[in-house]
Amino acid sequence: MLRKFQKYNITTIQLAQRAIFWRRLHNGPDTIEEMLDRHLVKEKPSYNDDENELLTRQRLTSTRREALGLYRDILRATRFFMWPDSKGVLWRDILRENARKEFEDARFEKDPEVITRLLIGGGDAVQAALDKVAEKQREQIEKEQSGTS
């Protein structure tokens, strides 16, 4: 029998994994109720109105704090954009105006998933913009150094 397994190049670890799989499969729930009890999400404990309000405030406070932090990060990052666009307006002012508009549009958003997605996307965008500015500045410095050497 061992030769049979060697023929298929099955190791003892793979045999053990298969045995565990089949054991789990056959030791599963016997009834539909047991299966549902195992796999469905249990109801969350019910809170009274005061506790619900407190939990909601805590969640809102933390997302509000994150949103304000992101807004401040955007304002700090825009300091590096001091060149004008084709109309003569500084990119710093354009970016700040657009950030303000985006935050105002999302001001009354209540869905925590959407808020989290906006915060993460905004943070990533700020970081990507700063990375690009830093890279361009490095290239400019290298170009100036090679030109003067």
Side-chain angles (χ1 to χ4, degrees):
M1 180 144 174
L2 187 58
R3 284 188 180 154
K4 192 181 217 181
F5 289 125
Q6 287 175 346
K7 177 181 172 184
Y8 296 110
N9 199 17
I10 297 175
T11 63
T12 49
I13 294 172
Q14 290 171 330
L15 284 174
Q17 289 172 343
R18 288 182 183 178
I20 290 170
F21 169 76
W22 285 106
R23 195 173 309 129
R24 284 186 185 158
L25 182 66
H26 292 294
N27 288 338
D30 293 329
T31 64
I32 292 175
E33 288 81 20
E34 286 179 13
M35 184 182 73
L36 292 175
D37 282 343
R38 266 191 208 176
H39 297 289
L40 290 180
V41 176
K42 307 286 190 272
E43 286 185 28
K44 294 181 180 177
S46 61
Y47 299 108
N48 62 25
D49 290 338
D50 293 336
E51 291 173 352
N52 279 335
E53 187 177 335
L54 180 63
L55 288 172
T56 304
R57 274 192 186 164
Q58 287 173 344
R59 271 188 243 122
L60 288 175
T61 303
S62 66
T63 54
R64 173 175 267 191
R65 191 177 316 122
E66 290 178 42
L68 288 173
L70 175 61
Y71 190 73
R72 287 186 198 112
D73 289 343
I74 291 170
L75 292 179
R76 282 186 212 111
T78 57
R79 288 187 227 162
F80 298 109
F81 295 85
M82 294 303 296
W83 54 89
D85 69 346
S86 59
K87 297 176 185 174
V89 181
L90 289 178
W91 274 105
R92 176 195 66 197
D93 299 335
I94 295 170
L95 293 172
R96 287 181 178 181
E97 202 173 294
N98 287 337
R100 177 69 180 190
K101 183 180 175 292
E102 290 283 332
F103 274 82
E104 284 295 327
D105 290 346
R107 184 177 186 175
F108 297 107
E109 183 63 51
K110 298 292 182 197
D111 187 9
E113 286 184 29
V114 173
I115 294 170
T116 303
R117 192 174 333 123
L118 289 169
L119 289 171
I120 291 171
D124 291 345
V126 169
Q127 190 59 47
L130 287 175
D131 291 343
K132 286 181 183 178
V133 166
E135 181 64 31
K136 290 294 182 183
Q137 284 179 344
R138 272 189 231 113
E139 289 174 7
Q140 188 68 27
I141 290 170
E142 288 174 4
K143 188 186 288 185
E144 288 174 3
Q145 287 176 349
S146 65
T148 58
S149 299

